Amino acid sequence: SNNLLTKDNQKKAETIKRQEELMNTAWYVFGSRRELKSQQILTSNGIFSSARILQNDFNKDYFVKIDIRTTTSIPLYSKRAKVLTNHPMKSYTIATENGTKVIQIKNYVEFWSVSRYLVVQVD
């Protein structure tokens, strides 16, 4: 029965680890207006609302999956960038590094509090 207990504890630990990973997962994407529209990320009547995200009408595979605890900067490889999703202004800055824009997340808990999806329009 000691062996069963160990297996049970291992299962619980794995479940907790999975839940923690899920809790700390977010997705980001950047692209031109045309690219974002072609993936149904941007709709013709403006940016999607959070309710639209849950309807799976956009290409989730187009997004990069990250761990919010370890991703503190996101290079955008563009001279211009505009954040389209809702993230508290105080929680990030858009800086220029080596001639291209980079999103620097100052407070990840706050940054991802409104939406776990980050959409940036670049050109």
Side-chain angles (χ1 to χ4, degrees):
S1 83
N2 198 3
N3 197 11
L4 279 175
L5 199 62
T6 308
K7 275 203 171 116
D8 194 40
N9 284 339
Q10 274 178 322
K11 264 197 182 133
K12 280 180 186 153
E14 280 167 25
T15 302
I16 289 167
K17 189 171 185 264
R18 262 200 312 275
Q19 286 171 338
E20 229 174 54
E21 279 170 12
L22 271 176
M23 280 170 50
N24 292 295
T25 296
W27 296 264
Y28 77 85
V29 70
F30 58 88
S32 68
R33 189 170 181 81
R34 185 184 295 150
E35 285 171 326
L36 295 175
K37 277 189 164 182
S38 75
Q39 301 300 323
Q40 300 291 306
I41 292 161
L42 247 184
T43 52
S44 48
N45 51 349
I47 183 67
F48 56 76
S49 64
S50 52
R52 298 282 310 252
I53 287 171
L54 301 173
Q55 287 172 14
N56 295 327
D57 57 353
F58 65 95
N59 184 356
K60 276 202 174 90
D61 299 333
Y62 207 62
F63 284 74
V64 178
K65 184 180 173 182
I66 55 159
D67 184 324
I68 63 174
R69 296 166 295 185
T70 54
T71 304
T72 54
S73 81
I74 299 169
L76 301 168
Y77 309 104
S78 176
K79 289 189 184 337
R80 285 200 299 211
K82 189 168 106 183
V83 174
L84 299 181
T85 36
N86 199 358
H87 304 275
M89 293 296 288
K90 296 189 307 285
S91 65
Y92 72 98
T93 56
I94 298 178
T96 303
E97 286 176 15
N98 306 319
T100 72
K101 295 294 181 192
V102 177
I103 291 180
Q104 292 173 333
I105 299 166
K106 295 190 279 189
N107 180 335
Y108 78 86
V109 175
E110 197 182 340
F111 184 82
W112 298 106
S113 64
V114 181
S115 173
R116 285 298 168 100
Y117 286 87
L118 165 64
V119 177
V120 185
Q121 185 180 318
V122 297
D123 51 23

